[in-house]
Amino acid sequence: MTTAGRVAQIWVYPVKSLGGTARERVRLAPTGPEGDRAATVVDAATGEVVRSKHAPGLAGLAPTGDPAADERAVSQALGRDVRIRPAEGGSGADAAAVHLVSRQAIERAADGDVPEGCSAEDPRANVLLDLPDGDERGWVGRIVRIGDAELTITRTPKHCLGVYAEVRRPGEITVGDAVLL
């Protein structure tokens, strides 16, 4: 295996569509980072999941860890009653267990190399990488080892930066860990 870079930041989004929480370390389980997108916002009247693409202000709200307080804050921000519910299967992740993005991808996006519909300001990735000489988009189909975990890179997102991965071997990752291809 060769060293491609290092983990610069780790983010967990406890409530899907709300803001994230930076972590120094996290365990990657088969469903992704423990605690990531473990809850979802649902409309209290209809029971439908409320997503940030229909309520863009959600991403600016930081979850407190107290579902009742989070329900009040989100309800006030949206002007309608919502509930915070556990995600089915333990994770509300839509596309893959883990989303990895490099600082270099964010720099490319700032220079105009960004997929249509993507937010370069907040890619909502779980793992921010520093890849001085690399581009994660070429990793599809490869195995990546970070800390104790192994990931299979499955695809590039259609409307986002970076790559998606599934957890091949669960384990803990830490800011500063080497990214091995």
Side-chain angles (χ1 to χ4, degrees):
M1 300 191 96
T2 60
T3 301
R6 299 230 170 255
V7 174
Q9 294 179 348
I10 299 170
W11 288 88
V12 172
Y13 299 87
V15 179
K16 184 178 175 70
S17 297
L18 297 189
T21 303
R23 301 267 176 92
E24 283 298 310
R25 67 184 69 241
V26 71
R27 178 170 167 66
L28 296 182
T31 56
E34 287 186 346
D36 188 56
R37 295 167 175 95
T40 57
V41 177
V42 297
D43 186 287
T46 66
E48 290 184 38
V49 174
V50 179
R51 300 186 188 281
S52 60
K53 64 183 169 185
H54 300 115
L58 290 179
L61 298 174
T64 65
D66 175 352
D70 292 343
E71 285 177 358
R72 285 190 300 275
V74 174
S75 293
Q76 183 176 7
L78 296 180
R80 65 179 187 213
D81 287 338
V82 300
R83 299 290 174 256
I84 306 291
R85 299 285 181 247
E88 288 185 33
S91 174
D94 291 328
V98 183
H99 182 193
L100 302 103
V101 174
S102 69
R103 286 182 171 160
Q104 292 72 18
I106 293 170
E107 290 168 6
R108 286 191 304 272
D111 291 338
D113 181 10
V114 61
E116 185 178 330
C118 176
S119 170
E121 291 80 36
D122 181 15
R124 301 186 63 77
N126 299 114
V127 183
L128 179 67
L129 306 171
D130 187 16
L131 307 176
D133 300 316
D135 182 343
E136 68 273 21
R137 294 177 293 187
W139 295 357
V140 175
R142 297 191 67 184
I143 305 298
V144 174
R145 185 179 303 153
I146 303 173
D148 298 328
E150 271 189 14
L151 308 172
T152 302
I153 306 300
T154 57
R155 67 185 176 98
T156 57
K158 209 183 335 183
H159 300 294
C160 208
L161 303 177
V163 291
Y164 288 145
E166 296 301 328
V167 178
R168 176 180 165 144
R169 183 179 73 207
E172 186 174 272
I173 67 170
T174 303
V175 170
D177 279 349
V179 177
L180 304 171
L181 285 178

